[in-house]
Amino acid sequence: MTNWQELESKYYMPTFNRIPVTLVRGEGMKVWDDKGKEYLDFVAGIAVNALGHCHPALTEAICQQAGTLVHTSCLYYTTPQLNLAELLVKSSVLDKVFFCNSGAEANEGALKLARKYGKVKLNGANEIITTLNSFHGRTLMTLAATGQPKFQEPYKPMPGGFISVAYNDIEAIKKATSKKTCAIMLEPIQGEGGVNMSDQDYLKKVRAWCDEKGILLILDEIQTGIGRMGPLFGYEVYDVEPDIITLAKGLGSGFPIGVFMAKDEASVFEVGDHGSTFGGNPLACAAGYATLKYILDNHVLSNVKEVGYHLVYKLEQLKTQFDFVTEVRGCGLLIAMQFDKDIAADVMNACMADGLLINKLKPNAIRFIPPLIVSKADVDEAVGILYKVLSNI
Ligand SMILES: *Cc1c(COP(=O)(O)O)cnc(C)c1O
């Protein structure tokens, strides 16, 4: 049998601290490794596989499109791209889209759009305020936007034009705002930074401040968008309308696709301002369309709410049973469990041995980001395994 871990260390750049499991197949909520062991998947490729693994609606759309037209470049009109653009716009408060291939790329485009907006509408303002512990991607520009020095350290000097302030601190945003500010960029919930919740009125206050100053509100909904929090978009939870949003993770349910969307007033790109060879190709857009259409037509959003509540309820029960569980937080199916000690790796490994994949969010916290089609029975099975694991900690 091929030793895949040996192959990886020989051929792959060692940037990932990989879990020693080789996954070879998936179906619905389940994945299997190369030894035939079955796992219940509460990671979903980091909040990506919205419809679970190999959902027939997605597989059929991809296969159908793969046999019809895969790529043409954006030199020409293609139908899947425009179908998805229309569906996204009609399902949101935004007016225009630009497709790309990943989250970082979506943010990169959104940041360029904000810079252009500053140039043409705000006397050349080019600074963007972001928050500490945010995560916006791994390109140099999105890393500079990411308020986590540990990711930036190897690549200094960083591109300029960013100020990172404390999350949930509207006064810090006000203090950092100047004539040079063109936009504020935030996640509705900081996903990678720790499932850090925004206070109920924070986004509303930021929106009001942006209106007062005439600057743009960019919401990075790469993790929170496409139903992860319950509504299709996180901004709906807080009842604010952003000027620009970015999406990626769940949009293709595993097929790589990203997008940034803007209100008409913020859509300042002109011919030649931005581009992408692969972005918006028919195959990716067919996957995105199939995912979004399925979510909208099959009560997936109400499932997220219902099963999300059930998950929190069951995890809160564990919290009363184990005193080292200090908090359960999150919204929809973006949920974290906080411990008072660094046991997340042990918990993750023990769960995996018992057939459950969960995500180590921090040394002392785990994250639950299952497919949006997860059922209450799946939650009960997962929490049963977790109960046994926590009992043995
Ligand atoms: C995952 C993520 C990104 C980066 O997406 P990639 O596809 O890995 O480039 C950016 N912002 C947020 C909020 C994310 O969760």
Side-chain angles (χ1 to χ4, degrees), residues 68-204:
T68 305
L69 185 68
V70 171
H71 176 81
T72 63
S73 85
C74 287
L75 292 172
Y76 311 99
Y77 296 86
T78 53
T79 54
Q81 182 185 97
L82 299 169
N83 285 332
L84 180 57
E86 182 180 36
L87 188 58
L88 277 168
V89 168
K90 287 193 166 164
S91 309
S92 72
V93 297
L94 292 308
D95 301 308
K96 295 283 194 296
V97 308
F98 189 98
F99 290 116
C100 53
N101 310 286
S102 69
E105 227 183 299
N107 282 340
E108 192 81 24
L111 294 167
K112 284 176 74 178
L113 188 62
R115 286 261 186 120
K116 172 96 197 268
Y117 186 88
K119 188 169 288 279
V120 298
K121 298 213 179 179
L122 300 171
N123 295 314
N126 56 36
E127 263 181 18
I128 296 166
I129 298 171
T130 66
T131 57
L132 296 168
N133 291 318
S134 60
F135 185 80
H136 297 300
R138 300 287 200 157
T139 64
L140 270 178
M141 185 78 165
T142 57
L143 259 191
T146 293
Q148 299 200 55
K150 71 175 177 204
F151 290 131
Q152 300 175 349
E153 204 47 50
Y155 309 108
K156 287 188 169 168
M158 282 286 113
F162 294 96
I163 303 178
S164 294
V165 302
Y167 195 60
N168 277 329
D169 187 344
I170 183 66
E171 292 309 318
I173 284 180
K174 289 183 178 175
K175 227 184 262 170
T177 306
S178 73
K179 287 203 159 51
K180 287 195 285 183
T181 309
C182 64
I184 297 170
M185 185 181 199
L186 297 168
E187 298 156 84
I189 290 178
Q190 290 184 328
E192 298 309 299
V195 186
N196 307 319
M197 310 290 289
S198 60
D199 296 338
Q200 192 54 42
D201 57 351
Y202 178 57
L203 291 189
K204 270 211 155 109

Side-chain angles (χ1 to χ4, degrees), residues 51 54-63 286-287 289-291 293-294 298:
L51 305 186
C54 301
H55 193 288
L58 181 69
T59 302
E60 267 167 39
I62 290 173
C63 290
Y289 186 85
T291 301
K293 192 86 175 105
Y294 186 89
N298 293 276

Side-chain angles (χ1 to χ4, degrees), residues 229-244:
M229 289 178 67
L232 195 55
F233 302 103
Y235 64 74
E236 297 172 55
V237 172
Y238 306 96
D239 195 23
V240 297
E241 294 201 4
D243 302 296
I244 299 174

Side-chain angles (χ1 to χ4, degrees), residues 37-51:
K37 185 173 164 68
E38 181 181 295
Y39 304 87
L40 182 60
D41 185 6
F42 270 60
V43 179
I46 318 182
V48 166
N49 302 88
L51 305 186

